[in-house]
């Protein structure tokens, strides 16, 4: 019996070693929330025995077996770009800020692949897979150096710039643009708006690709490497951090897979001792306040900060606030300040009554998973759309930051705390969000391993990725058929005219 056990143990060990892959993961987005999703996946891959190298600006807090982290420094955009965005609430604020955000992302990505340690491992080690994020997609060119297939982890909904990588269709008549929070089905006006917003998205996408291609060409010269467009069209798999219960039904090709809530832990970790005590002793519950990883609460203008503080001071609930400095002016006793918060674990606590947030997709997913109602204060990007969607679903109230006063904020908070329908609706949608054949993490791990096992899984590649707009819409075929029919009709008409003229000529001669 012991000998059989030893044989089984050795066989299992050998099997695990032969199926362990080497994965290079790069994501240096200035937005921490973009990295969290990808980081969650590669950490799980390391726990399952694969050897992972993660390149990002955020140091590893807790050592993990099979997980090597290379930290690259990037400028902190929160005190400049993000602060200006918070204070400028005009409709064009995001448009004015976007070029600087894009530049920071590109420069950070370029610096990352020239980091000495990154250069060393690329030259000396073998990798089975390259995994990158959404921003600075010229990093896909690293696959040229390591000779491995690529997986893109998209932290948001599927946008045009991502759909193009795998040829995923997005019919304008039936798939609302995620940046406006519209739902399907759309009426005529809705489809008009969808066309306009999607056209704007394509313009932004063109700018991102144009600037990213310049960095690609400088690192991967033409003639020596495939072109930028070729590399983008050779992505093996795109993992989308969304779930169909949160968006309108839409088509997907095989190489695009939904893994909404990838960063959400199925079982919450124990809270730090001080937070555990604070939350457990909150007899009337507590409110979680966080503006995510990009926006600094200390940058909130004084009049709006006073409105928030004065409202919280009158509540019997406790408040846990993600705050980035040591002190808050006029802080009431029921507010606890923390520079970092285990957001998912706090939302999982039985005493959590409300989540006040900016509308980031990750936070919305965590709140829905744990059934906690939201008070949304959107600022930029998809935040407006995300909060509009959950408001329509009946488990959130929106207060536009430009309209934030003590009266508007107090009314919204009390509405959610005193009207149980918000919590009940959040619980219903939590059940819907959780009801899946397998977890988001298991799904992402399976398809990642699948791509490696099948050497890029070229059999999943959709032919439409190589076609342009005129070809995918059959406009070239329709044009040829139209020209052909026109020529045939013209020939028939001319023939008829000639025949008629000859008959007339014969009649005249008689």
């Amino acid at each position: 019996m012991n000998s059989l056990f030893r044989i089984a143990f050795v066989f299992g060990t050998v099997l695990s070693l032969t199926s362990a892959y080497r994965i290079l993961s790069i994501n240096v987005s200035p937005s921490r929330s973009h990295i969290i999703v990808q980081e969650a996946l590669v950490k799980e891959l390391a726990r399952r025995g694969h050897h992972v190298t993660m390149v990002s600006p955020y140091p590893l807090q807790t050592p993990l077996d099979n997980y090597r982290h290379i930290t690259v420094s990037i400028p902190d955009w929160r005190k400049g770009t993000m602060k200006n965005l918070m204070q400028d609430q005009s409709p064009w604020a995001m448009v004015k800020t976007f070029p600087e955000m894009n530049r920071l992302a590109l420069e950070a990505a370029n610096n990352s692949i020239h980091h000495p340690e990154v250069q060393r491992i690329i030259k000396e080690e073998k990798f089975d897979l390259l995994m990158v994020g959404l921003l600075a997609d010229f990093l896909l060119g690293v696959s040229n150096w390591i000779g491995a297939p690529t997986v893109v982890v998209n932290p948001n909904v599927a946008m045009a710039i991502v759909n193009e990588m795998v040829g995923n269709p997005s019919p304008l008549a039936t798939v609302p643009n995620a940046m406006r929070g519209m739902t399907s089905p759309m009426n005529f006006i809705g489809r008009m708006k969808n066309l306009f917003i999607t056209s704007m998205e394509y313009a932004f996408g063109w700018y991102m690709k144009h600037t990213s291609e310049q960095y690609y060409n400088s690192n991967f010269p033409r003639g020596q490497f495939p072109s930028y467009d070729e590399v983008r069209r050779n992505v093996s798999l795109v993992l989308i951090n969304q779930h169909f219960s949160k968006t309108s039904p839409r088509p997907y090709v095989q190489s695009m897979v939904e893994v909404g809530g990838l960063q959400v832990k199925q079982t919450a970790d124990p809270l730090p001792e001080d937070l555990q005590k604070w939350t457990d002793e909150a007899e009337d519950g507590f409110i979680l306040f966080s503006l995510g990883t990009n926006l600094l609460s200390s940058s909130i203008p004084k009049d709006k900060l006073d409105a928030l503080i004065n409202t919280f001071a009158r509540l019997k609930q406790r408040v846990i606030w993600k705050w980035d400095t040591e002190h808050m002016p006029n802080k009431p006793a029921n507010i606890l300040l923390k520079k970092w918060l285990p957001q998912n674990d706090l939302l999982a606590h039985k005493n959590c009554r409300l989540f006040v947030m900016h509308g980031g997709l990750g936070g919305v997913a965590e709140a829905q998973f744990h059934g906690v109602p939201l008070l949304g204060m959107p600022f930029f990007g998809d935040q407006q759309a995300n909060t509009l969607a959950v408001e329509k679903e009946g488990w959130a109230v929106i207060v536009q930051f430009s309209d934030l006063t003590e009266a508007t904020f107090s009314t919204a908070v009390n509405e959610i705390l005193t009207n149980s329908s918000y919590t009940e609706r959040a619980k219903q949608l939590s059940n819907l969000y959780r009801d899946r054949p397998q977890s988001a993490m298991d799904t992402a791990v399976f398809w990642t391993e699948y791509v490696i096992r099948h050497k890029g899984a070229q059999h999943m590649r959709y032919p439409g990725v190589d076609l342009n707009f005129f070809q995918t819409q059959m406009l070239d075929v329709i044009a040829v058929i139209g020209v052909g029919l026109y020529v045939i009709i013209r020939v028939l008409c001319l023939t008829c005219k000639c025949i008629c003229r000859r008959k007339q000529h014969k009649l005249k001669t008689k």
Side-chain angles (χ1 to χ4, degrees):
M1 191 70 178
N2 287 336
S3 61
L4 287 175
F5 176 79
R6 291 193 187 98
I7 293 172
F9 177 78
V10 171
F11 178 76
T13 302
V14 171
L15 185 64
S16 66
L17 289 173
T18 55
S19 63
Y21 302 119
R22 301 184 65 84
I23 299 168
L24 175 60
S25 173
I26 306 175
N27 195 328
V28 289
S29 169
S31 175
R32 178 75 175 94
S33 59
H34 285 192
I35 299 178
I36 288 174
V37 178
Q38 184 172 330
E39 193 176 60
L41 173 56
V42 293
K43 283 184 176 179
E44 182 60 26
L45 288 166
R47 293 187 189 99
R48 300 193 186 195
H50 303 297
H51 302 286
V52 174
T53 299
M54 179 70 187
V55 182
S56 88
Y58 307 100
L60 182 65
Q61 300 298 322
T62 305
L64 181 64
D65 290 342
N66 304 320
Y67 190 90
R68 171 177 55 183
H69 192 277
I70 299 175
T71 305
V72 294
S73 60
I74 61 171
D76 188 347
W77 67 349
R78 296 175 301 173
K79 295 181 180 179
T81 306
M82 290 295 103
K83 182 177 181 179
N84 294 337
L85 193 60
M86 179 180 286
Q87 296 178 348
D88 181 2
Q89 288 295 298
S90 67
W92 297 102
M94 183 64 184
V95 176
K96 292 185 289 185
T97 306
F98 180 75
E100 178 64 10
M101 295 167 63
N102 186 60
R103 183 189 66 80
L104 289 172
L106 291 170
E107 288 186 359
N110 193 56
N111 292 338
S112 72
I113 60 175
H114 290 286
H115 187 282
E117 181 63 11
V118 175
Q119 282 288 304
R120 184 192 68 78
I121 65 172
I122 287 175
K123 292 175 182 177
E124 298 179 3
E125 300 182 16
K126 181 183 181 303
F127 292 95
D128 301 298
L129 182 75
L130 171 67
M131 184 178 291
V132 300
L134 169 63
L135 296 179
D137 61 8
F138 75 88
L139 289 175
L140 291 168
V142 174
S143 64
N144 297 323
W145 290 341
I146 66 175
T150 53
V151 171
V152 173
V153 180
N154 183 34
N156 304 308
V157 297
M159 297 183 292
I161 194 171
V162 180
N163 285 325
E164 292 170 353
M165 293 178 177
V166 290
N168 195 62
S170 183
L172 283 172
T174 57
V175 179
N177 190 288
M179 302 304 289
R180 290 304 301 162
M182 296 185 293
T183 56
S184 208
M186 295 176 285
N187 57 21
F188 178 79
I189 299 299
R191 284 182 280 121
M192 286 281 288
K193 290 180 180 178
N194 201 38
L195 175 62
F196 174 75
I197 297 300
T198 302
S199 299
M200 292 288 291
E201 183 187 318
Y202 271 101
F204 274 86
W206 175 88
Y207 177 80
M208 291 176 68
K209 289 187 292 183
H210 174 71
T211 52
S212 188
E213 185 174 12
Q214 296 175 29
Y215 281 86
Y216 180 89
N217 292 335
S218 67
N219 288 287
F220 311 100
R222 295 181 179 180
Q224 300 179 36
F225 299 96
S227 70
Y228 170 71
D229 288 332
E230 288 174 317
V231 169
R232 290 188 81 250
R233 295 197 306 269
N234 199 38
V235 171
S236 297
L237 175 68
V238 175
L239 297 172
I240 298 291
N241 188 32
Q242 69 178 37
H243 186 255
F244 63 86
S245 68
K246 290 301 305 157
T247 55
S248 297
R250 57 162 305 149
Y252 286 111
V253 296
Q254 280 77 12
S255 50
M256 180 173 281
V257 179
E258 283 191 342
V259 288
L262 186 60
Q263 81 286 2
V264 181
K265 290 177 285 188
Q266 301 294 307
T267 303
D269 293 332
L271 293 170
E273 187 176 344
D274 59 336
L275 283 177
Q276 191 70 56
K277 179 177 172 57
W278 181 268
T279 53
D280 286 346
E281 294 178 354
E283 297 179 359
D284 297 299
F286 68 89
I287 296 170
L288 179 61
F289 185 104
S290 174
L291 297 182
T293 58
N294 297 322
L295 299 165
L296 300 177
S297 289
S298 62
S299 299
I300 298 175
K302 185 179 183 305
D303 60 326
K304 299 186 183 300
L305 180 61
D306 288 342
L308 297 171
I309 292 174
N310 293 340
T311 297
F312 287 144
R314 292 197 303 270
L315 297 176
K316 56 185 178 180
Q317 287 79 16
R318 292 182 172 185
V319 179
I320 302 175
W321 192 323
K322 184 176 180 291
W323 184 263
D324 52 284
T325 63
E326 297 299 329
H327 303 287
M328 171 187 283
N330 304 316
K331 182 184 81 67
N334 68 330
I335 293 181
L336 176 67
L337 304 178
K338 287 288 180 180
K339 291 185 178 180
W340 174 85
L341 291 174
Q343 182 170 288
N344 179 77
D345 304 324
L346 284 167
L347 289 170
H349 196 284
K350 60 183 177 64
N351 288 339
C352 189
R353 298 287 182 267
L354 170 63
F355 184 21
V356 181
M357 49 97 75
H358 61 308
L361 190 62
V364 172
E366 291 174 3
Q368 180 171 353
F369 186 87
H370 296 295
V372 177
L374 299 176
L375 192 159
M377 292 191 299
F379 288 86
F380 63 92
D382 62 347
Q383 295 167 9
Q384 186 75 250
N386 296 338
T387 51
L388 281 171
V390 294
E391 184 182 50
K392 289 178 181 178
E393 290 173 341
W395 59 290
V397 174
I398 297 176
V399 176
Q400 298 295 344
F401 192 71
S402 57
D403 300 330
L404 177 63
T405 63
E406 188 172 337
T408 58
F409 187 68
S410 175
T411 299
V413 169
N414 287 318
E415 166 66 15
I416 298 174
L417 292 177
T418 58
N419 188 340
S420 62
S421 66
Y422 292 94
T423 300
E424 291 169 1
R425 182 61 175 153
K427 298 296 184 185
Q428 291 173 2
L429 292 172
S430 174
N431 293 331
L432 183 64
Y433 196 68
R434 291 169 180 252
D435 191 2
R436 316 181 189 197
Q438 61 181 163
S439 69
M441 185 60 73
D442 286 340
T443 302
V445 169
F446 170 81
W447 285 108
T448 300
E449 293 176 336
Y450 184 91
V451 164
I452 302 174
R453 282 198 303 272
H454 297 284
K455 311 300 181 185
Q458 287 297 306
H459 56 280
M460 293 202 308
R461 192 172 188 271
Y462 176 56
V465 73
D466 296 317
L467 303 180
N468 59 38
F469 174 79
F470 296 97
Q471 292 169 324
T472 57
Q473 303 302 314
M474 295 287 284
L475 296 180
D476 54 342
V477 174
I478 293 172
V480 170
I481 292 173
V483 170
L485 289 173
Y486 175 78
V487 171
I488 291 171
I489 292 171
R490 288 288 295 171
V491 169
L492 289 173
C493 289
L494 290 172
T495 302
C496 291
K497 284 183 178 179
C498 289
I499 293 171
C500 291
R501 286 172 181 172
R502 286 181 181 179
K503 286 184 176 181
Q504 290 177 353
H505 179 71
K506 287 181 179 180
L507 290 172
K508 287 181 180 179
T509 55
K510 288 180 179 180

